[in-house]
Amino acid sequence: MLTVALAVPAAPAAASGGDDATASVPADGAALSAAPTQVELTFSRTPVAARSHLAVVTEDGRRVNRTDTPTAAGRRLVQAVSIQRPGVFTIAYHVEFADGGEAQGSRRFSVGTGAPPPAAPVPAEAAAVSEHQHGVDPVSAVLLVVDGLVVLSAVAMLLRTRRPRHAGPDPSAPPGPPVAHPGPGIRPVP
């Protein structure tokens, strides 16, 4: 049973990284004259779109995403946006990669202001990234339950006591009368 417990590992912990984005369109700090119809982030690893989140928000926290989930193209994530007014925009993201790792960060750009965006206020970015939720991975949940059952079975087997079988007398029994042993040259009577 212990062999089974070792053979069925728990789900691997995802490696957490910093900002793995290598490029963005619009570029971080860009001052655009016209609004883009999409934003794009390029990463050093392959992202999984279904488990990643890109939020493009205005300074007052209003989302301008046209869809909830970005699309993936190789090492890029693309998010359609609908920007109707000039202003400063933040691309806040939390990305999960095919190798199990994850990264989060942000990029800022401005549209129609004629100036680059100012430094981002941390609370707005944190709120944009933290509003998403992940569900329970069904494979990991099943493996965790199996691991727990295996451990419980192993513990139950270890705690189960069996009385050992002895070939001789019970050492815990009180001593009985002495047994006479024939001496040398004396034959026992059958």
Side-chain angles (χ1 to χ4, degrees):
M1 211 38 127
L2 186 55
T3 306
V4 174
L6 296 174
V8 183
S16 182
D19 184 359
D20 280 297
T22 59
S24 64
V25 176
D28 191 25
L32 307 176
S33 57
T37 58
Q38 66 183 27
V39 297
E40 178 181 307
L41 294 173
T42 303
F43 297 92
S44 58
R45 300 180 279 170
T46 304
V48 178
R51 298 187 55 86
S52 299
H53 308 277
L54 259 74
V56 182
V57 295
T58 62
E59 284 185 295
D60 61 0
R62 187 176 49 87
R63 290 181 85 133
V64 294
N65 295 30
R66 289 181 41 201
T67 61
D68 287 334
T69 306
T71 57
R75 293 185 174 194
R76 297 178 302 130
L77 284 179
V78 178
Q79 178 67 61
V81 295
S82 177
I83 297 175
Q84 304 297 321
R85 299 182 188 140
V88 174
F89 299 87
T90 300
I91 307 168
Y93 61 90
H94 175 249
V95 179
E96 290 195 23
F97 298 103
D99 66 4
E102 56 185 53
Q104 66 183 29
S106 65
R107 300 283 188 268
R108 290 174 56 86
F109 65 94
S110 63
V111 174
T113 63
V122 175
E125 288 181 24
V129 172
S130 67
E131 74 180 42
H132 71 274
Q133 298 293 322
H134 290 276
V136 174
D137 174 25
V139 173
S140 296
V142 168
L143 287 175
L144 187 59
V145 169
V146 168
D147 284 347
L149 291 174
V150 168
V151 168
L152 285 175
S153 297
V155 168
M157 288 177 66
L158 290 172
L159 294 177
R160 205 163 116 192
T161 57
R162 288 189 187 172
R163 186 162 268 206
R165 295 182 189 172
H166 295 287
D170 185 2
S172 63
V179 177
H181 294 283
I186 302 175
R187 298 176 80 193
V189 179

